[in-house]
Amino acid sequence: MKKREPKITSVEKECIVGLEGIGERLDRYLGSRFTYHSRTEWQRIIEQGIVRVNGVLIQGKARLKKGDRIVYQIHGLVEPEVNDDVRVLYDDGDLIICDKSGDLPVIPSGKYYQNTLYAVMTKRFGTIRLINRTDRETSGIVLLSRTDACAAAIHTIIGTSAMKKLYIAVVSGTPPRSFTVRGNIGHVPHADYRQMQGFAAFGKFSHTDFFRVSSANGYAMLFCRIFTGRTHQIRVHLREKGFHIVGDKIYGKEGPSIFQEFLKSGNDISSVHSGGMFRQALHAYKVSFTHPLTGRRVSVKAPLPKDIEDFARDQGLMR
């Protein structure tokens, strides 16, 4: 397992205030949205003149409006360690299909800038385009492209029957042999989770088919075929049916306390053990489709990683 811990002297970040920030104080807004600093720390940063709103320095108690552009500098940032192992499973000169670890953010966000899949693959291949994304703690397949034309072509079949995407999940409980979940998913306000998703009338349609592969000792291994690609889709769908992915810090059985421990640890996955796993037992296992530009059939599998395999074997889910 490779790890790295780069220090970045200066990073500029920006965000646009949405409906949730209307009338909110600047310091409160930053403290609730970017939790790597406390509200008190944000007040000190604002006083140092590092934060600008619409290009102007303002006080922390100033109230925000929808559409306000907040820009600030982060100096001397130390990124949390990650496992930046990435294997290339398929490369035809345009399309790249890789297998990432279960401890690697895909895109820059929060505390992560260089410790991301995007940075790793850009360093390896030069300019690349991400075709799809997964959560930091989801291992397995991610699609990328060297060209705009290839990325655009693959995007036309994502979320359609032309592309089959299969995940493996280990959950607590014993689900039916097969079941389907459909519904609209969108952001739902939550006191502890900024990115909490759930079923909502205003959300986007989502569809997942689940198939039980094995069950033992109060756990089950599932194949999850997604027909849409909504944020946290598989995790939300399973929770809706009363099942929880082992190790899930947001939608798992142990609730906000585990997530808060994770934040206090500096986002160190290895420091927080939840339900028998240090990260969520979710793996992007297989993708298959006919390449819209070449007409060739593409079918790629990412082997189950050791941490999920070991847990599954220990519970009698695999031989």
Side-chain angles (χ1 to χ4, degrees), residues 1-5 81-87 101 103-104 115 120 123-124:
M1 178 186 295
K2 299 187 298 179
K3 287 199 171 185
R4 55 182 181 173
E5 189 178 340
E81 291 187 354
V82 297
N83 178 354
D84 64 1
D85 286 337
V86 180
R87 294 195 307 152
S101 78
D103 181 12
L104 182 64
N115 276 353
V120 170
K123 183 177 181 180
R124 191 181 302 184

Side-chain angles (χ1 to χ4, degrees), residues 175-194:
R177 288 189 177 275
S178 64
F179 60 101
T180 295
V181 182
R182 297 185 181 92
N184 291 351
I185 287 180
H187 176 261
V188 293
H190 194 283
D192 297 290
Y193 307 121
R194 187 172 65 84

